[in-house]
Amino acid sequence: MRNHRKHTVLAAAAIAALSLGLTACGGGDGASGAKDAGSASSAQTSAGTGDNGTAGGGTADQTSAKSGSGSTGGSTSGGSATGGSTAGGSTGSTGGSKSGSTGSTGQNSSAKAPACAYGDIKVTAAKADEVPTEHIVLTATNTSGRSCTLLEYPLIAFGPIQTAKDIPAVAKSKPAKLVVLKAGEPAYANVRVALGGAHEDNKVVKEFNVNLFAPQGPAEGSIVVKAPAGGLAVDEAAAKTGYWTYELRNGADEF
């Protein structure tokens, strides 16, 4: 009885040991199978990623791009700030350049003022303080309300414009700079009308015509100027005119 039981126990132990051995073998195969399956799955995933044009990698790239977009956004906004500063700098520089150019234009505005037209100027005549009268002084006043350039000298006709003799200008009286008149500002021209004393060629003039110059030559339109009280005894052969100037000058306007 004892021997039978002993054999039974041994048999049961042997069966249990065999069973454990089989389980261990099966477990190892299962684990190894799982690992192989996992490797295969990883390989497929990697292969899928490669086939997909880096789908998985693409996801990573997209994720990276998204996070990069955050950093790009930061850098963009930083760039925007830099851009803002650059834009501001360029605007400032442009503004500076423009205002500089405006400033320079302002300084040269006198040279760029349009030529005075006959409607911009009022001309009056006064006798010089001398007896007999040999000279008159013409005063041209800018009545246009804006600056204009009074070019050259007065074109004077002591008689009908079509037949009157041209009165020549005296070269030495030409000023070094253009005469630019602000609104209400005057300019002057000295004019010789005779050599003094009675002369058979003298004629009495009650009024005469003055034309102005345009940049291309004589301007259209004529200003009628009243002679000083009593009229002027004019000798056209002796008559000559000075250039327009801000003020009459010794020497240059003496002729």
Side-chain angles (χ1 to χ4, degrees):
M1 192 71 180
R2 285 180 183 173
N3 286 336
H4 181 266
R5 188 172 180 180
K6 184 177 180 179
H7 288 306
T8 303
V9 170
L10 288 174
I15 290 169
L18 180 61
S19 189
L20 285 171
L22 289 173
T23 302
C25 288
D29 291 343
S32 143
K35 284 181 185 176
D36 292 343
S39 297
S41 170
S42 295
Q44 285 175 1
T45 303
S46 296
T49 299
D51 293 343
N52 228 4
T54 62
T59 307
D61 289 341
Q62 286 172 7
T63 308
S64 169
K66 283 182 184 175
S67 72
S69 105
S71 97
T72 303
S75 106
T76 301
S77 79
S80 211
T82 306
S85 115
T86 303
S90 96
T91 304
S93 137
T94 305
S97 158
K98 285 185 180 174
S99 79
S101 128
T102 305
S104 105
T105 304
Q107 290 173 359
N108 293 331
S109 64
S110 58
K112 295 185 178 179
C116 301
Y118 78 96
D120 299 331
I121 297 294
K122 178 183 178 181
V123 179
T124 58
K127 291 180 180 179
D129 188 12
E130 59 188 5
V131 178
T133 300
E134 296 182 355
H135 298 84
I136 60 173
V137 176
L138 297 182
T139 301
T141 305
N142 180 3
T143 59
S144 68
R146 58 177 173 77
S147 294
C148 66
T149 304
L150 195 56
L151 298 172
E152 303 291 342
Y153 53 88
L155 291 165
I156 302 170
F158 289 117
I161 295 176
Q162 293 79 7
T163 59
K165 178 184 178 292
D166 291 336
I167 306 302
V170 178
K172 71 174 183 175
S173 74
K174 185 173 183 177
K177 295 182 179 179
L178 292 174
V179 175
V180 179
L181 299 180
K182 295 179 181 178
E185 192 174 19
Y188 306 94
N190 191 36
V191 181
R192 174 178 281 281
V193 293
L195 291 174
H199 194 280
E200 61 182 11
D201 292 331
N202 286 1
K203 63 181 180 181
V204 177
V205 174
K206 298 291 185 181
E207 64 181 23
F208 55 94
N209 294 289
V210 172
N211 281 45
L212 304 178
F213 273 95
Q216 297 78 22
E220 294 293 328
S222 182
I223 302 168
V224 178
V225 182
K226 289 184 178 181
L232 294 172
V234 176
D235 180 358
E236 287 184 305
K240 55 187 71 175
T241 181
Y243 281 73
W244 294 115
T245 181
Y246 290 114
E247 58 183 3
L248 296 180
R249 299 148 296 164
N250 292 332
D253 293 306
E254 294 176 346
F255 48 84

